[in-house]
Amino acid sequence: MDPKRELTSVDLAALVGEFGAYEGAKVDKAYLYGDDLVRLKMRDFDRGRMELILEVGEVKRAHTVAPERVPDAPGRPPQFAMMLRNRLSGADFAGVEQYEFDRILEFVFERDDGTTRIIVELFGQGNVAVTDGEYEVIDCLETVRLKSRTVVPGSRYEFPDTRTNPLTISREAFDHEMEDSDTDVVRTLATQLNFGGLYAEELCTRAGVEKGMDIDDAGDDVYDRLYEAIERLALDLRNGNFDPRLYLEGDDESDEGDDASGGQVVDVTPFPLEEHEELAGEPYDSFLSALDDYFFRLELADEEEPDPTDQRPDFESEIAKHERIIEQQQGAIEGFEQEADSLREQAELLYAKYGLVDDILSTIRGAREQDRSWDEIRERFEEGAEQGIDAAEAVVDVDGSDGTVTIDVDGERISLVTQQGVEQNADRLYTEAKRVEEKKEGALAAIENTREDLEDAKRRRDEWEADESGEAAEDESDEAESAPRDWLSQPSIPIRENEPWFDRFRWFETSDDFLVIGGRSADQNEELVKKYLEPGDMVLHTQAHGGPVTVLKATDPSEASSSDIELPESSIEEAAQFAVSYSSVWKDGRYAGDVYAVDSDQVSKTPESGEYLEKGGFAIRGDRTYYRDTAVGAAVGIQCEPYTRVIGGPPSAIEGRAVTTIELEPGQYAQADTAKRLYREFRERFEDETFVRKIASPDRIQHFMPPGGSRIADD
């Protein structure tokens, strides 16, 4: 069986639903590889870095890719890539649609200055066309000039002629298409109904219909069963009822879920297929992740086959898979925590607004006892809201189908069971919060198992490499690793990117390896206190107005919180310098300021009675430890290992991690101008100038600089 190299119409229909989860992601940069592969580097606020691959050559695909699997950025970007960057940089991903049931996807991006549509044709010769909001073609990889359609810059994009969409076809139209055929059933489904060969055969198998049956011999019973099978398929696609499978061929004894070494990848589908019952299938949590693995392993298989005696197991793919699962599990745990906290907050609000809530519930129960309809009750609340009655204004919706009322209390929407009192509704919310906490405990246990699998894969990789290299080679490697490497004189430095979850905040790692995070805005300050502040952490803030909330983390968010960790004084001092340097103290041209530090349990988002907290603000209770006249200080550096990236923060913390640094002080030059000077200076320091261009653009350098004017120290 030849491996699949093009996505089917069914695949694209499934992808549309999963891509929807990334709506709102922002585009960072666009790349073009050769003349048929487009890569969009994006940032999703929940998942972090996101890579979208659109390939329209011999392989035709469109899916997300794990960041560690994207190819290195090409050299000078061609005009097509520059055009994409100009139109998409900072744009929001607004969604994707499949054109009818064709192998065409339309990706929509929104920015204040307009809409951009990227239309990906995954059939025939393949094409990527970029249009504005009115479908005028800005540019395309291939110009198309046919009698039926034209795709050229400056013209309106023309879709191919519409074909039958089998997912929305009526029974009458289905019968007409089948009866209009002059071949057998399976070919009719493949061509007239546009399912293609594989899914035409799958539908026949699911319907219990002989594939080679002549269409003239197919009666109403056959049509009934086929149409029902199509409806079930369409329903699964619409509702996202997926159970993705990656199929392998070549090892009859391989069990489901075996590694790629069990056989050659041949197909990937959004749900199990009866047509592939004889193949080994690996299950996946999402179709996008299954596609990523499939095409990654297909590419490896396409490379020259090594000598079987020297063949190395694909440890990297296995490790990457476990790491991806851990990331998903961490996201789920975070979601459970947020959900449980929200439910408890709702329960507490019910008691805080006891009189108001009791008034609403009593009014509804009284009306129902008088046999008033739910519509009448709803109208009564609407009239009360117009009259300014508090209880009526709090009612958002009354749902008679399940006997609930939704209320808005202090901006929080809470659904109440009308036949229960305030205490019962609050108890129900507390109970639900406990249930969610139990799900979190299950997820924590699962993530530990995955971590064990990850460590086992790494151990097996290390043992393999140790056995292969032998003791002598291992000793040489140890010596090479222990000797410092002169990165500045290297003619070529490999790119090893890693964008951590906290990269959108201000951040640095202290000399003692503790993470420090600071907010860039009031919204981020709010988020840090609400979402990332844990027992054992320390919060630092300047006395000056306009400083970031600075959190010195005692543990990583993926670890259990610990209040037993003693934070080193050196790390606290570096965090204090960070807090004062990225505040208005630097912006005002001053060289020192006061900073105070408190424990995490002293910080609250609940104001004292009669007080009000602005967004990003917080209340401090208890004693504060002051660091008077803390000197400002900031440096920007280039790190080459274990990752290649720009870093910034207090000089004492950065100098030990970067191969070269530039120290800054408050000055008269605008932030953007200083960033350009740093960029030019870094390029001159490295033999490999392309390396600096790839990882340290002026914009990226500016990301780590204090606000306001700066200058290079001792300049």
Side-chain angles (χ1 to χ4, degrees):
M1 179 177 178
D2 292 333
K4 168 185 188 169
R5 298 184 182 275
E6 299 182 1
L7 297 182
T8 68
S9 294
V10 173
D11 295 335
L12 300 191
L15 278 178
V16 167
E18 292 200 357
F19 272 130
Y22 291 94
E23 289 183 13
K26 283 193 177 294
V27 179
D28 285 340
K29 193 171 287 187
Y31 305 87
L32 177 65
Y33 299 80
D35 58 0
D36 59 17
L37 192 152
V38 174
R39 167 191 162 203
L40 296 183
K41 182 179 178 181
M42 304 167 69
R43 187 179 302 280
D44 181 80
F45 291 108
D46 293 325
R47 301 170 181 82
R49 180 177 164 191
M50 166 194 172
E51 297 281 359
L52 174 62
I53 292 291
L54 311 172
E55 188 171 6
V56 293
E58 181 182 351
V59 171
K60 295 181 175 64
R61 56 182 177 139
H63 58 88
T64 54
V65 174
E68 65 271 14
R69 289 180 175 172
V70 297
D72 291 338
R76 184 178 180 84
Q79 182 59 38
F80 189 85
M82 293 302 298
M83 176 274 300
L84 281 175
R85 293 181 187 184
N86 290 335
R87 293 194 64 89
L88 296 180
S89 180
D92 293 327
F93 173 46
V96 60
E97 292 183 358
Q98 179 184 20
Y99 177 69
E100 295 295 334
F101 193 60
D102 281 339
R103 286 184 289 162
I104 299 176
L105 289 179
E106 179 181 336
F107 293 85
V108 182
F109 299 88
E110 300 284 359
R111 205 167 62 177
D112 291 342
D113 58 355
T115 299
T116 298
R117 303 176 188 274
I118 297 182
I119 302 172
V120 186
E121 300 177 358
L122 297 166
F123 63 90
Q125 296 299 313
N127 200 4
V128 175
V130 181
T131 80
D132 62 13
E134 303 302 319
Y135 291 97
E136 180 176 331
V137 179
I138 309 302
D139 203 352
C140 50
L141 293 182
E142 298 287 342
T143 57
V144 178
R145 299 181 187 272
L146 303 172
K147 289 184 179 180
S148 58
R149 63 191 291 255
T150 301
V151 180
V152 295
S155 68
R156 181 177 174 81
Y157 178 85
E158 297 180 1
F159 287 96
D161 292 339
T162 302
R163 304 195 302 165
T164 300
N165 185 343
L167 302 183
T168 59
I169 194 171
S170 67
R171 176 56 194 270
E172 182 180 1
F174 170 77
D175 288 353
H176 174 75
E177 292 287 350
M178 298 295 287
E179 292 167 358
D180 196 40
S181 173
D182 59 359
T183 183
D184 55 31
V185 170
V186 71
R187 288 187 175 88
T188 303
L189 292 173
T191 58
Q192 297 287 101
L193 276 297
N194 301 316
F195 274 113
L198 175 63
Y199 280 94
E201 294 182 358
E202 177 70 14
L203 288 167
C204 287
T205 301
R206 292 185 179 189
V209 173
E210 183 184 343
K211 300 170 187 175
M213 177 184 292
D214 193 282
I215 202 71
D216 293 334
D217 297 330
D220 288 342
D221 176 59
V222 171
Y223 287 179
D224 286 342
R225 283 181 281 153
L226 287 173
Y227 190 73
E228 287 175 6
I230 292 172
E231 282 190 315
R232 288 195 299 272
L233 176 66
L235 187 63
D236 285 341
L237 289 170
R238 280 196 298 271
N239 295 338
N241 296 330
F242 305 143
D243 186 9
R245 288 291 188 276
L246 184 153
Y247 288 101
L248 305 105
E249 184 181 58
D251 188 347
D252 295 336
E253 296 180 359
S254 61
D255 295 326
E256 185 174 68
D258 278 354
D259 184 69
S261 59
Q264 166 67 46
V265 293
V266 292
D267 202 356
V268 57
T269 60
F271 20 64
L273 299 186
E274 294 184 33
E275 286 299 300
H276 288 344
E277 194 172 18
E278 300 302 316
L279 298 175
E282 293 185 6
Y284 281 78
D285 293 333
S286 72
F287 190 37
L288 282 170
S289 61
L291 286 169
D292 182 11
D293 263 11
Y294 175 81
F295 284 107
F296 175 72
R297 288 155 73 166
L298 179 65
E299 185 177 354
L300 291 179
D302 285 343
E303 295 175 356
E304 185 177 355
E305 288 286 340
D307 186 332
T309 60
D310 296 331
Q311 191 167 358
R312 179 182 187 276
D314 186 6
F315 294 114
E316 282 69 29
S317 179
E318 183 180 357
I319 289 170
K321 179 179 178 181
H322 291 315
E323 289 174 340
R324 185 174 61 253
I325 293 173
I326 288 173
E327 185 178 348
Q328 293 170 347
Q329 290 170 327
Q330 287 174 340
I333 291 167
E334 202 170 280
F336 292 145
E337 290 173 346
Q338 293 174 351
E339 185 181 355
D341 288 344
S342 176
L343 289 166
R344 281 190 290 266
E345 287 177 10
Q346 290 180 19
E348 290 166 5
L349 277 172
L350 294 186
Y351 283 114
K353 301 290 183 179
Y354 191 100
L356 177 73
V357 178
D358 186 56
D359 190 10
I360 294 170
L361 294 173
S362 299
T363 299
I364 295 175
R365 285 198 297 270
R368 291 298 293 165
E369 290 171 0
Q370 296 174 16
D371 293 329
R372 294 187 180 277
S373 69
W374 290 101
D375 288 338
E376 288 179 296
I377 295 172
R378 187 181 300 107
E379 291 171 1
R380 183 175 174 184
F381 277 116
E382 290 172 355
E383 292 170 359
E386 292 175 359
Q387 297 169 15
I389 300 173
D390 290 344
E393 288 180 332
V395 174
V396 176
D397 183 45
V398 178
D399 189 348
S401 63
D402 57 2
T404 61
V405 58
T406 302
I407 63 174
D408 187 321
V409 180
D410 292 350
E412 187 81 27
R413 293 201 170 191
I414 308 173
S415 180
L416 305 173
V417 178
T418 58
Q419 291 304 310
Q420 296 178 352
V422 179
E423 295 90 346
Q424 289 173 299
N425 274 288
D427 287 345
R428 176 176 53 81
L429 291 170
Y430 280 126
T431 301
E432 180 64 14
K434 289 180 181 178
R435 188 187 67 80
V436 173
E437 287 282 5
E438 291 172 358
K439 291 170 66 176
K440 172 192 166 185
E441 293 303 318
L444 285 170
I447 202 171
E448 286 306 314
N449 292 334
T450 310
R451 284 195 176 114
E452 289 177 6
D453 293 339
L454 174 61
E455 291 306 313
D456 179 64
K458 289 180 177 179
R459 177 187 55 77
R460 287 186 282 109
R461 178 197 60 189
D462 293 343
E463 289 176 353
W464 173 280
E465 292 176 349
D467 291 341
E468 287 295 298
S469 60
E471 292 184 5
E474 185 176 337
D475 291 341
E476 292 176 4
S477 176
D478 289 343
E479 290 176 7
E481 288 179 6
S482 62
R485 188 172 182 180
D486 184 6
W487 290 102
L488 299 181
S489 62
Q490 293 293 316
S492 178
I493 302 175
I495 305 298
R496 295 185 295 276
E497 292 184 331
N498 174 54
E499 294 192 20
W501 62 269
F502 44 79
D503 192 55
R504 58 195 177 90
F505 298 100
R506 297 192 186 280
W507 66 273
F508 78 96
E509 291 173 307
T510 72
S511 303
D512 308 295
D513 296 329
F514 285 86
L515 175 65
V516 176
I517 317 175
R520 292 182 174 274
S521 62
D523 286 335
Q524 286 198 349
N525 286 344
E526 189 94 2
E527 184 179 359
L528 283 176
V529 173
K530 281 188 172 181
K531 188 174 180 180
Y532 294 109
L533 188 60
E534 298 177 298
D537 294 347
M538 178 174 286
V539 175
L540 300 97
H541 200 269
T542 58
Q543 285 292 90
H545 181 70
V549 169
T550 300
V551 178
L552 173 55
K553 298 291 297 178
T555 59
D556 187 272
S558 62
E559 302 172 358
S561 298
S562 172
S563 57
D564 298 328
I565 294 178
E566 184 175 347
L567 295 168
E569 189 64 26
S570 56
S571 288
I572 299 174
E573 290 174 355
E574 287 176 344
Q577 186 174 53
F578 175 84
V580 74
S581 299
Y582 291 84
S583 73
S584 59
V585 172
W586 184 291
K587 195 171 185 180
D588 293 341
R590 292 180 285 148
Y591 284 77
D594 294 340
V595 180
Y596 65 82
V598 294
D599 293 332
S600 60
D601 57 7
Q602 295 179 248
V603 180
S604 173
K605 288 298 299 177
T606 304
E608 298 289 354
S609 178
E611 294 182 353
Y612 169 74
L613 291 178
E614 295 180 351
K615 177 174 283 190
F618 50 90
I620 301 293
R621 295 182 172 85
D623 296 334
R624 310 178 185 193
T625 300
Y626 280 88
Y627 293 82
R628 303 287 185 185
D629 294 323
T630 298
V632 299
V636 178
I638 305 293
Q639 188 178 31
C640 290
E641 53 183 354
Y643 303 108
T644 50
R645 60 188 177 189
V646 180
I647 57 175
S652 60
I654 301 306
E655 288 169 359
R657 298 180 181 276
V659 298
T660 184
T661 62
I662 299 176
E663 192 167 341
L664 300 172
E665 61 184 28
Q668 70 274 32
Y669 301 111
Q671 190 185 60
D673 293 337
T674 306
K676 291 175 183 176
R677 291 193 65 191
L678 266 61
Y679 171 70
R680 290 193 293 268
E681 175 68 23
F682 282 133
R683 285 188 61 179
E684 291 175 1
R685 294 184 181 185
F686 280 87
E687 181 73 20
D688 183 4
E689 289 188 6
T690 61
F691 164 70
V692 177
R693 188 167 64 246
K694 289 175 183 176
I695 71 160
S697 67
D699 287 345
R700 189 59 184 163
I701 291 171
Q702 193 172 336
H703 187 77
F704 289 92
M705 292 173 57
S710 299
R711 68 179 181 185
I712 297 175
D714 301 326
D715 193 5

